[in-house]
């Protein structure tokens, strides 16, 4: 499973709740937060994924998050 697949799967599990890049990196054990950032930017705008400023459902901080809209 690629990092992109892992990021997508985590976001989909939490759907429709938003999650930030820091929490994605922490949950998936990614060594560099930028890995999560690159992958969430790649997913944004396709397949119902959207990035915006909101409160992260895991850490509660208001910052750039990604979520998959409920269908």
């Amino acid at each position: 499973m690629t990092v992109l697949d892992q990021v997508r799967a985590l976001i989909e599990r939490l759907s429709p709740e938003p999650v930030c890049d820091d929490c994605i990196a922490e949950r998936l054990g990614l060594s560099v937060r930028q890995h999560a950032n690159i992958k969430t930017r790649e997913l944004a705008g396709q397949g119902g994924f959207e990035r915006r400023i909101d409160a992260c459902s895991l850490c509660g901080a208001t910052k750039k998050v990604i979520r998959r809209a409920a269908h």
Side-chain angles (χ1 to χ4, degrees):
M1 183 179 257
T2 66
V3 172
L4 182 61
D5 292 336
Q6 293 175 320
V7 169
R8 180 186 294 117
L10 177 62
I11 296 164
E12 288 175 344
R13 270 199 309 277
L14 295 170
S15 176
E17 298 300 320
V19 62
C20 71
D21 294 344
D22 292 324
C23 287
I24 290 171
E26 181 183 317
R27 289 295 192 287
L28 297 179
L30 302 178
S31 57
V32 183
R33 182 194 152 279
Q34 282 76 16
H35 281 140
N37 179 267
I38 291 165
K39 299 308 177 189
T40 56
R41 285 187 292 136
E42 200 174 314
L43 287 170
Q46 58 175 297
F49 292 95
E50 49 189 42
R51 278 176 61 88
R52 63 172 194 252
I53 302 293
D54 203 345
C56 174
S57 62
L58 298 178
C59 70
T62 298
K63 52 184 162 178
K64 186 79 84 164
V65 296
I66 188 165
R67 73 181 194 107
R68 182 146 193 220
H71 296 315

